Amino acid sequence: VDFSPPERRKAVVSTQSTGAEDRLKKQQQTRAYIEEFKKARQLWKENEQLQMAEENRRILEFAKQQQTRETNRMALRKAEEAAKDQVRNQLATQLAQQNDDAAELQQIRDELAWEEEEERSRLRELAEQEKRIRTRLELQEVERQQLHIKAAKQQAEKEEDEKFRQEMLAKFANDDKIEQMNAQKRRMKQLEHRRAVEALIDDRRKRFEAEKAAEIQEIEEENERQRIRQKIIEEERQKLLQEHAAKLLGFMPKGVFRDGQDLSLFDEEFRTNFEPREVDYFDERNW
């Protein structure tokens, strides 16, 4: 296009006017956008503040609820602990009372056991004392009887000796016809007869004592043979016990073990497990 200077100026002015309007319009739009942005930002801030306030309110309310729950929980826990402490104290008191009662009961039992043992000891001592007195009296009675028997026996022997003496003196006198002798010869012959008779009596007494000693010796020898025989039997019995008792443990007939000395032949395990009981071999429950 070919513009002349006036038209060019008009065109330039028109262009400048249009550009100014556009700039103004843009500026207005920009200001409007800025205002709108400010309003939107202010509204966002207000909403954000409201949300934050609401959030803070909910947080505070939640915190209060949590605090209330925690307070209630702590109160409940405190109450539970107090109840547990009370129960523990009651149990401790009951246990202490039970321990005191048990200790007192044990003390009473110990005292009763001690008193019973003292009574048993006293009774044993009395029984032993009575036994000693009874034994002494029995020994005195036996000694008295033995003395009586000995005296009676000596008297019998004396009477028998005297009878024998008189019989022998009469026999010797008759045999020697001393009644036909004079007084002096008669006295001498009678003295000779007495010596002879006393010798016979002494000889007879010695023979009797020898026979009695031989009899006593025979009795002692027989007792010794019986003792050796019983010892051999006892050794064999103990040997049989040691060989077979362990196999018959629990089925031991009554009377096999006589006393604690028999049990001493075995070890501690056997003595611990040993329970003596009478066995009926016809009862099937024992097999």
Side-chain angles (χ1 to χ4, degrees):
V1 180
D2 185 12
F3 291 100
S4 60
E7 281 102 2
R8 187 178 298 169
R9 284 195 297 272
K10 288 181 182 180
V12 170
V13 171
S14 176
T15 301
Q16 291 178 348
S17 176
T18 302
E21 289 177 358
D22 291 337
R23 285 195 299 275
L24 179 61
K25 187 175 182 180
K26 288 181 180 180
Q27 289 177 356
Q28 290 176 349
Q29 290 177 351
T30 300
R31 282 196 296 271
Y33 175 77
I34 291 172
E35 290 296 329
E36 185 66 25
F37 175 77
K38 288 181 178 180
K39 289 180 181 180
R41 189 175 63 177
Q42 183 64 30
L43 181 61
W44 178 82
K45 286 183 178 181
E46 292 177 355
N47 290 332
E48 185 69 18
Q49 289 177 354
L50 290 175
Q51 291 178 1
M52 289 181 64
E54 180 64 20
E55 185 68 21
N56 291 334
R57 185 188 65 78
R58 288 197 299 269
I59 292 173
L60 289 176
E61 184 177 357
F62 177 76
K64 288 181 181 180
Q65 291 177 355
Q66 289 294 103
Q67 183 65 31
T68 301
R69 292 193 187 98
E70 183 66 18
T71 301
N72 293 335
R73 189 183 68 82
M74 292 300 295
L76 180 61
R77 182 176 179 180
K78 186 175 181 181
E80 290 177 351
E81 289 296 329
K84 291 179 180 179
D85 290 338
Q86 184 178 3
V87 172
R88 282 194 291 266
N89 292 332
Q90 290 177 352
L91 291 176
T93 302
Q94 292 177 359
L95 183 60
Q97 184 64 39
Q98 291 176 357
N99 291 335
D100 292 340
D101 294 341
E104 184 178 0
L105 180 59
Q106 186 62 39
Q107 182 179 0
I108 293 174
R109 289 175 177 171
D110 293 340
E111 290 176 357
L112 288 175
W114 180 81
E115 291 176 358
E116 290 176 356
E117 181 60 29
E118 285 291 316
E119 181 66 17
R120 285 193 294 268
S121 178
R122 188 181 67 83
L123 292 176
R124 283 195 301 268
E125 184 176 355
L126 288 176
E128 291 176 358
Q129 185 177 3
E130 291 178 358
K131 182 179 179 180
R132 288 194 297 270
I133 294 173
R134 187 167 56 252
T135 301
R136 186 166 61 251
L137 292 176
E138 290 175 354
L139 290 175
Q140 291 176 354
E141 178 64 20
V142 170
E143 184 179 2
R144 188 187 65 79
Q145 291 179 1
Q146 289 177 348
L147 290 174
H148 178 73
I149 293 172
K150 184 177 180 180
K153 187 177 180 180
Q154 288 176 348
Q155 182 64 27
E157 290 176 354
K158 184 178 180 181
E159 292 176 356
E160 186 178 354
D161 289 344
E162 183 63 25
K163 180 181 178 182
F164 179 79
R165 182 181 293 109
Q166 295 301 324
E167 290 178 350
M168 293 305 297
L169 287 173
K171 181 179 182 301
F172 288 159
N174 184 59
D175 290 343
D176 291 338
K177 297 181 176 21
I178 62 173
E179 72 277 0
Q180 299 176 4
M181 297 178 182
N182 58 36
Q184 183 178 1
K185 286 185 176 181
R186 187 184 304 117
R187 285 194 299 270
M188 292 179 63
K189 185 58 73 172
Q190 287 177 343
L191 182 60
E192 181 182 345
H193 289 170
R194 288 191 184 94
R195 285 196 295 266
V197 169
E198 291 301 326
L200 289 174
I201 292 174
D202 186 62
D203 183 64
R204 191 178 71 161
R205 186 181 294 116
K206 288 180 180 179
R207 282 189 282 106
F208 176 75
E209 289 177 356
E211 290 175 358
K212 184 167 65 174
E215 184 178 341
I216 293 174
Q217 179 67 24
E218 185 179 356
I219 293 174
E220 290 178 351
E221 290 176 356
E222 179 62 24
N223 290 335
E224 180 65 16
R225 287 193 294 270
Q226 289 294 331
R227 187 188 67 79
I228 295 174
R229 178 173 175 271
Q230 290 297 327
K231 181 180 179 182
I232 295 173
I233 293 174
E234 179 64 19
E235 290 176 352
E236 291 298 322
R237 187 185 70 85
Q238 292 180 0
K239 186 185 297 183
L240 288 174
L241 277 178
Q242 290 177 313
E243 291 177 355
H244 302 288
K247 301 175 183 177
L248 298 175
L249 186 62
F251 300 92
M252 195 70 63
K254 185 177 180 180
V256 172
F257 282 88
R258 295 177 181 175
D259 49 30
Q261 186 175 2
D262 285 346
L263 283 175
S264 65
L265 300 172
F266 299 89
D267 55 19
E268 183 65 25
E269 182 180 359
F270 182 91
R271 291 196 298 270
T272 301
N273 295 327
F274 176 72
E275 294 183 358
R277 63 185 183 92
E278 186 174 2
V279 177
D280 184 1
Y281 291 103
F282 297 100
D283 191 345
E284 294 181 353
R285 293 173 298 179
N286 293 325
W287 295 92

